[in-house]
Every structure is written in structure tokens, then in C-alpha cells.
Amino acid sequence: MRDSRITLAHGSGGLAMERLIREVFLETFDDPELARLEDQAKLEFPSAKLAFTTDAYVVDPLFFPGGDIGKLAVCGTVNDLVVGGAQAQYLSCSFILEEGLGISLLENIVRSMKTAAGQAGIRIVTGDTKVVPKGAVDKLFISTAGVGVIPTGLELGMDRILPGDRILVSGPVGDHGAAVLDARGELSLTHAIVSDCRPLGPLVQQLLEACCVHAMRDPTRGGLAAVLNEYARATGLCLRIREDTIPVNEPVRGMCELLGLDPLYLACEGRMVAVVPEKEADAALAALQRHSDGLDAALIGEVTDSRIPQVILHTALGGERILDQPEGDPLPRIC
Amino acid sequence: MRDSRITLAHGSGGLAMERLIREVFLETFDDPELARLEDQAKLEFPSAKLAFTTDAYVVDPLFFPGGDIGKLAVCGTVNDLVVGGAQAQYLSCSFILEEGLGISLLENIVRSMKTAAGQAGIRIVTGDTKVVPKGAVDKLFISTAGVGVIPTGLELGMDRILPGDRILVSGPVGDHGAAVLDARGELSLTHAIVSDCRPLGPLVQQLLEACCVHAMRDPTRGGLAAVLNEYARATGLCLRIREDTIPVNEPVRGMCELLGLDPLYLACEGRMVAVVPEKEADAALAALQRHSDGLDAALIGEVTDSRIPQVILHTALGGERILDQPEGDPLPRIC
């Protein structure tokens, strides 16, 4: 099967589809709930508050330094759960495959999903596969949905942000967007840029154990600028950010200068923005920096009680400017 | 906005995407949990056994008699929950849109999802939107995932099927597959065929209240033949079916004769196959027929203790033949 290609029969509900599911998905994902092959997974929860989220993944190219569409489809959905304070538990995945796709390529992606799910501590328990004729989709898209348990008493959300709160970012921004752009091969940079794509669960856990957190987000499409603007609009408050405190890796900065891009608008896939009470800021920063995924975490600004909902950037040169919500991302198919 | 078209900016994480989400999705779906615009929905459950499922929808054309991709994306996932005995509660939806798609077309589909969700009693609580450049996807694909609650003590599944059990189908088979094929416009049939696409919750509820049920499935891709063969392989038992008892609508039968298709292999999107103990068969049939979605329900066969896992069709002409698992569906993009 590994030398062959996806045909329409692989999406047909018949024997060919069953072989694909057994040999590629079940064998790799290796979960008893998935292996039941019922139309739905059945999951036991104690009395629970659950988090539920979904994302579609259409990244181009399918493979990039630091990850691939499979790892991204697991990490992205896991991260949307954990920034809500949830422990990621169960994942569904639905594949849309183009007729003619190489099955060994699919297998590589499926294995990468399994590895990422193992790292994130999430089980892949249900799924679906569709095949469409050549030309109806570009190679392979994946949608994942995730369910997680929110611990009793943990309340996080934009509605908890208060004036005086401090804003932290867990690491350098823009790596993922820059890595995908670089992987398209239209540039010839000397230093390959590696995506930050990773599951955020352990880092978030360490932060939540160390201090009180008001809100968390992972800055994906639209980057840090989009998350900060969402916070400003949702709270009606002003966020003041100091440009020189925002970590940006050198190769990303170089690429941005070359192309006229702003790293604050580039997607991350393994970073988070946390808003914490002022008195918790030092503890939060220390907790992030103690984890290997947060070594470069930084305190980047604060929420002020100015009632103009906007993000003010104090530039490295000593000036001030409004950091706008992006109108449209210059980089389609980044995730 | 309604006169305009989808651009890459609508998938970018910026202002254009936010407008699309607010004006098209939030306004129509109108759910407070969705309107929080956090990365994840937060849902309260009492101590619960939950069902979790996902499907991708790639149907072509987007609109067909009896439904459209939006209605299908809600009903298909709801039905995968309810045939597991779950009460469908929460739905996620992720959209992959082609640059240039008409926004009014998208709005029609989104409204159709809202209507179907209302009928099915499910809330749309979280979602995602990606836009890809023209040519990277054919118009519009939707993936939905659903969460439902399984009542305490209710056990359903292929592992409960026993020799002697009776097999019922809730209505005529093949309408959906035939309707989509007809809607492609390559045939010119005098009677338009209408898809059976509908949520199965109320019918299933009525059945479960009336009798003990061992297993249920909705026969989608691969049709009735695929479900019966899955039962045979999963149980290691033989299923005997009487062809003349299987309800097939006349226009579907006519189209199948014309094209050399077998209605037993055509997809349904609003029918279910139920396996019940012999002594419950009459009560089950009566319960189905009492509901407007089950007027044409029929008892079509039984599970026998012959240990050859296969499906035997007793033909209308008095013969017997093996009803094979389909190798590949002749109709891609049927759902």
C-alpha cells in the first residue's frame, strides 16, 4: 500500500477505504476507542466542565522546518484547549485527500500526528476520511476538533482582564509564519527558520500552578498584534506594549526586514500570550522561564485604564504608535 | 458584504475575517457561547458518558433537492451521535473557503446549518474559517464535530448483536445518493429525486423508548450494503436480507435501472438501520412507523448463527446471492 496513491475508492465507504483506515490510521494512531470503528467515540467524564474547539489546517507546503500539517493539526487544536485552562484529552481528525496523493506521504503525516498527540497527552478517538477528484483540493487538508477538561474553579477569559494587569509572551514571536514562508522556497536565506510548532500544555500547566492568570491566547493567524487587539476590543481597555521587550529571533527579524514584514503580525504555533495581575507578574515570568519552552519568555507590557480600546506600541526609538489590528494577513495558508 | 466575494483577507486573522465571522456566522448561528469569540467553547456537563464524532463534507454540487452542504454537515454529524444513542448537544464547524466564493452563497449555507441545528436541537458553539487561494479547494468544504450525552445505562454497539436479532431500516434507501447524482445535471429525469437528508434524533428517541435496541447505524457512503457488511465482519455472523422487503422509492429504482446502479449501495443521509432482539421486532417496527420520518420503515432480515461473516440477499426472484462490501463507490463527493 505504501508505494501506491490515493484513489477515489479510498473515500468511498467500501473495502479500499477500510484498508486505508486500518493500515494507515488505526495502525498508527493505535487507540482502542478509535479501533471500535463505530460512528462515534464514547468517552467517560466525571462531572465536568469541558472545553471544545476546532480548526481546519490548510498549510502550504505540507512539510516545513519544525513541523508538518499533521503536527500542526494536533498542536493547534491542543493549544486552543490549553489556553482556555483545559487539559486536552480527546481529538477527532477529518481528512480531505486529493486523488493521487502518495500514501507514504499520508503515512508520514499520520505518524507525525501520533507523535504530537503523544507529546500533548491527547488521544485520537474518532475520525473521517474523504477523497475528492484531482484538482478539487490541493493535496491534503485536515480538520481537528478537541475536547478537554477544565479543572473545577479555574476561570480564564478575556472578561477577567483588568486595568493594571501585566502582559507576557512565552517566547520569540513569528517563527512559524516565517518558517512556512521560507519553506515555500521563494527566498534563499542562509539560516533556515524553524517553526515554533509545539503543544503548549506543559508550559501552561507550570504557569497555572505558579500564579493567578486572567487570560491566555496563542497568537496564530495575525500574530501577536491580532491577539493584543482582540484583548483591547473585548475589554474596552488600552494595552501598552514596549517593542524592545518583545522577543524576536534574529533570522525572523532579518527576513522581515528583507520583505517589509512586521514580526508582530506573523503567526506563532507554540507561543502564548498571558495576562496576569500586576502582583503576579514576576512569579508568572519566572514560571515560564523555568520551562524549556519558555526560556525566552518576556514581560512585554500592561493593561491601562485608558478607556480607548487600542494597542499602543512604545517603539525601540522612543516613540509611540498604534499597533493596528491586521486588515488581512499577507501570508495565506500559513496554518 | 452580501454582494461581495471571499478574499484571502477573510481568512487572515485580521479585521476582514472578524467582519465575516460577526456578520455571517455569529449573526446567523446566534449562540452566546460562540459569541464569546474565545478559542474554545466551555460546556457544562453533569457526570456523563459522552459521544464524540466528526465528518468532513465535500458534496458536489453544494445545493441539491432536499438539502445543501450546510444541512448535510449538521445532519450527518448529528446522526452519527444519535445512532450511538446519544442526545446531540454541541457542534463545532470548520469552513475551508475558496477565494472568490460568493458571500451570499455562504450565507445561504450558514442559514441552512442554523435551521438544521434548530431542528436537531444541537447548538453550534465553536468554529474556524480558512480561506485558500482560488483553485486550492473546490468552492467550499465543511468539517463538523459533535458532542452528545449518552443516557446512563444505554449500551449500543456492534458488539451487542446476537444471532436471531432482527434488522430494520427506517425508510427507503438511496435517496440521497440518487438526488446528488441527479443534481449534477448530467441526467434528465422527469421526477426530481429529493434527498432524505434530515436529523434522526426524534425517530431514534421514539425507537429507544419503545424497545431494546442492540445496534444502530446510518447508512451513508456505501449505503445499506456497507452497513450490513460492517455488521457481518464486526460480529462474525451472517446477515440474511430479503430484497423484496427493502423500501426503495420508484424514481430511485428507475434511475438505478437506467444507470446500472444498485440502490443498496447508494448513500442515505436520513435513514438508519437498527438491530433489535427478535421479540422486540414488532414493537420496533411499530415505533418507527408511528413517526413521520419512519412511515416506510421495514423489517428486512435477521442475524443468523451461521459463522460465515457475510450478507446473504434473498432476491425478489427467489434466488440467493452474497451482497458484497462495496469495493469503491461509483459516486465521489456524495457527502
Side-chain angles (χ1 to χ4, degrees):
Chain A
M1 178 164 236
R2 277 156 206 187
D3 294 335
S4 56
R5 297 198 165 269
I6 292 290
T7 66
L8 290 171
H10 285 119
S12 68
L15 279 175
M17 178 162 141
E18 195 198 311
R19 276 196 301 272
L20 178 74
I21 287 173
R22 287 195 187 277
E23 294 177 25
V24 176
F25 297 115
L26 294 195
E27 214 170 87
T28 306
F29 290 154
D30 186 26
D31 191 287
E33 190 56 40
L34 186 67
R36 286 175 50 247
L37 283 178
E38 293 278 7
D39 283 338
Q40 68 300 115
K42 290 178 179 165
L43 314 170
E44 297 272 3
F45 291 92
S47 162
K49 187 168 182 181
L50 299 186
F52 181 34
T53 190
T54 192
D55 263 315
Y57 298 88
V58 298
V59 68
D60 175 41
L62 295 175
F63 297 84
F64 47 84
D68 57 67
I69 191 172
K71 181 181 182 187
L72 194 61
V74 172
C75 294
T77 294
V78 162
N79 291 347
D80 279 347
L81 292 174
V82 301
V83 297
Q87 285 141 11
Q89 295 208 330
Y90 298 106
L91 196 73
S92 70
C93 50
S94 91
F95 294 85
I96 301 172
L97 310 177
E98 185 181 23
E99 181 188 14
L101 186 78
I103 290 183
S104 63
L105 182 147
L106 177 63
E107 283 190 311
N108 286 339
I109 289 166
V110 170
R111 273 196 295 270
S112 169
M113 294 180 78
K114 173 65 177 175
T115 304
Q119 285 164 356
I122 198 165
R123 287 173 56 190
I124 297 171
V125 291
T126 190
D128 181 50
T129 307
K130 294 288 189 303
V131 179
V132 296
K134 207 161 175 58
V137 73
D138 184 15
K139 297 185 283 290
L140 163 63
F141 295 162
I142 304 174
S143 285
T144 49
V147 175
V149 172
I150 302 172
T152 311
L154 182 62
E155 300 277 354
L156 287 169
M158 293 190 284
D159 54 343
R160 298 180 59 82
I161 296 175
L162 295 172
D165 280 358
R166 294 302 193 259
I167 303 160
L168 298 99
V169 64
S170 69
V173 300
D175 291 6
H176 176 74
V180 172
L181 192 60
D182 189 20
R184 290 186 188 155
E186 291 148 22
L187 311 163
S188 42
L189 301 178
T190 44
H191 302 286
I193 297 173
V194 178
S195 167
D196 53 305
C197 179
R198 80 192 62 185
L200 280 168
L203 184 65
V204 164
Q205 199 51 41
Q206 189 146 314
L207 179 66
L208 290 175
E209 281 165 12
C211 67
C212 164
V213 177
H214 282 163
M216 285 186 285
R217 274 278 168 113
D218 57 330
T220 57
R221 278 178 291 177
L224 181 63
V227 167
L228 297 174
N229 273 282
E230 274 173 64
Y231 281 161
R233 283 200 317 286
T235 59
L237 298 169
C238 175
L239 279 68
R240 292 191 167 269
I241 306 297
R242 288 182 309 279
E243 190 175 28
D244 58 7
T245 61
I246 302 170
V248 180
N249 280 324
E250 264 321 306
V252 175
R253 195 184 295 280
M255 174 196 264
C256 284
E257 280 170 9
L258 199 68
L259 300 178
L261 296 171
D262 185 338
L264 306 191
Y265 290 87
L266 290 187
C268 310
E269 289 289 345
R271 308 293 179 212
M272 56 131 163
V273 180
V275 182
V276 304
E278 179 182 2
K279 67 179 169 43
E280 305 270 2
D282 292 341
L285 184 61
L288 291 174
Q289 290 179 340
R290 269 201 308 276
H291 196 282
S292 59
D293 290 342
L295 297 176
D296 297 318
L299 186 61
I300 62 167
E302 63 189 83
V303 182
T304 75
D305 56 4
S306 153
R307 294 275 158 188
I308 303 165
Q310 60 187 8
V311 182
I312 306 277
L313 188 74
H314 296 254
T315 66
L317 298 173
E320 270 189 16
R321 67 176 174 91
I322 292 173
L323 187 71
D324 281 323
Q325 171 78 347
E327 167 64 28
D329 195 309
L331 310 174
R333 299 187 64 185
I334 216 72
C335 59
Chain B
M1 177 164 238
R2 278 158 204 185
D3 295 335
S4 56
R5 297 195 165 270
I6 292 289
T7 67
L8 291 171
H10 286 118
S12 68
L15 279 174
M17 177 162 141
E18 194 197 310
R19 275 195 303 270
L20 178 74
I21 288 174
R22 287 195 187 276
E23 294 177 24
V24 176
F25 297 114
L26 294 196
E27 215 170 86
T28 306
F29 290 153
D30 187 26
D31 190 288
E33 191 55 40
L34 187 68
R36 287 173 49 247
L37 283 179
E38 293 278 7
D39 283 338
Q40 70 299 119
K42 290 178 180 165
L43 314 171
E44 297 272 5
F45 291 92
S47 163
K49 188 168 180 181
L50 299 186
F52 181 34
T53 191
T54 191
D55 263 317
Y57 298 89
V58 298
V59 67
D60 175 40
L62 295 176
F63 296 84
F64 48 83
D68 57 69
I69 191 171
K71 182 181 182 187
L72 193 61
V74 173
C75 294
T77 293
V78 162
N79 291 348
D80 279 347
L81 293 174
V82 302
V83 297
Q87 286 141 9
Q89 295 208 330
Y90 298 105
L91 196 73
S92 71
C93 50
S94 90
F95 294 86
I96 301 171
L97 310 177
E98 185 181 23
E99 180 188 15
L101 185 79
I103 290 183
S104 63
L105 182 149
L106 177 63
E107 282 190 313
N108 286 339
I109 288 166
V110 170
R111 272 196 295 268
S112 169
M113 294 180 78
K114 173 66 177 176
T115 303
Q119 284 164 357
I122 198 166
R123 287 173 56 189
I124 298 171
V125 291
T126 190
D128 181 49
T129 307
K130 293 288 189 302
V131 178
V132 296
K134 206 160 177 58
V137 74
D138 185 15
K139 297 184 283 292
L140 161 65
F141 294 163
I142 304 175
S143 285
T144 49
V147 175
V149 172
I150 302 173
T152 310
L154 182 62
E155 300 277 352
L156 286 170
M158 294 190 284
D159 54 342
R160 297 179 62 81
I161 296 176
L162 295 172
D165 281 358
R166 295 302 193 258
I167 303 161
L168 298 99
V169 64
S170 69
V173 299
D175 290 6
H176 177 74
V180 171
L181 193 60
D182 189 22
R184 289 187 188 153
E186 291 148 22
L187 310 163
S188 42
L189 301 178
T190 44
H191 302 286
I193 297 174
V194 178
S195 167
D196 53 305
C197 178
R198 78 192 63 184
L200 281 169
L203 184 65
V204 164
Q205 199 50 40
Q206 189 146 314
L207 179 66
L208 290 175
E209 281 165 13
C211 68
C212 165
V213 177
H214 282 162
M216 285 186 285
R217 273 279 169 113
D218 57 329
T220 57
R221 277 179 291 176
L224 181 63
V227 167
L228 297 175
N229 273 282
E230 274 173 64
Y231 281 159
R233 282 201 316 287
T235 60
L237 298 169
C238 174
L239 280 68
R240 291 189 167 269
I241 305 297
R242 289 183 308 280
E243 190 175 27
D244 58 7
T245 61
I246 302 170
V248 180
N249 280 324
E250 264 320 309
V252 174
R253 196 183 295 280
M255 175 196 265
C256 284
E257 279 169 11
L258 199 68
L259 299 179
L261 296 172
D262 184 339
L264 306 191
Y265 290 87
L266 290 188
C268 311
E269 289 290 346
R271 308 293 180 213
M272 56 132 163
V273 180
V275 182
V276 306
E278 179 182 2
K279 66 177 170 45
E280 306 271 1
D282 292 342
L285 185 62
L288 291 174
Q289 290 178 341
R290 269 200 309 276
H291 195 283
S292 58
D293 291 341
L295 297 175
D296 298 318
L299 187 60
I300 61 168
E302 63 189 83
V303 182
T304 76
D305 57 4
S306 152
R307 294 275 159 189
I308 303 166
Q310 60 187 7
V311 182
I312 307 276
L313 189 74
H314 296 254
T315 67
L317 298 173
E320 271 190 15
R321 67 175 173 91
I322 293 173
L323 187 70
D324 280 323
Q325 171 78 346
E327 167 64 28
D329 196 308
L331 311 174
R333 298 188 64 184
I334 216 72
C335 58

